[in-house]
Amino acid sequence: MPIVIAIKSLGIIITLMGIAYLFRPDIIKKLMEFFKKGNRIYFPGLLRLALAVLFLFAARECRYPWIIFASGIIFLAEGLLIFILGPEKIRRIFDWYDEQPTLIFQIIAVIVLVFGIIVIFSA
């Protein structure tokens, strides 16, 4: 049961991040600028891999295990992709996003918000 509380807590954090991003889309740009520098680019990859492990182990304890399991697989793929693509390609992706209009960042924020809510109700 404590692992379900951890997943719900992560869902709350993700939801709050989505709300913050929705009202302040510039936060996403600032985060991308921060992580583009040096080896910081690998931190989001490590974070996603850690979340993948947590979600995959917690899946069978949750109300809707297939949603939590699928989320774990998505986190795993994202984390591995960061390491496979390498820092230069990730920086180019960040640069591309940086040129996009604010609406794109607000859409990303809504996706993050909805994902957080789905995690909360699935745990």
Side-chain angles (χ1 to χ4, degrees), residues 34-100:
F34 175 79
F35 287 116
K36 276 179 22 178
K37 296 179 179 135
N39 288 331
R40 294 179 193 168
I41 200 92
Y42 292 115
F43 181 74
L46 291 173
L47 180 62
R48 281 168 171 75
L49 291 175
L51 288 172
V53 170
L54 182 62
F55 274 61
L56 292 172
F57 280 120
R60 59 182 115 148
E61 304 275 333
C62 294
R63 185 180 319 160
Y64 298 109
W66 63 273
I67 293 174
I68 301 302
F69 185 80
S71 299
I73 295 296
I74 291 168
F75 280 129
L76 180 64
E78 290 173 344
L80 291 174
L81 196 58
I82 288 172
F83 288 97
I84 290 169
L85 291 178
E88 289 309 312
K89 286 186 181 176
I90 297 297
R91 285 186 186 100
R92 281 186 279 179
I93 292 169
F94 281 179
D95 289 339
W96 179 84
Y97 269 109
D98 196 37
E99 297 170 2
Q100 302 309 306

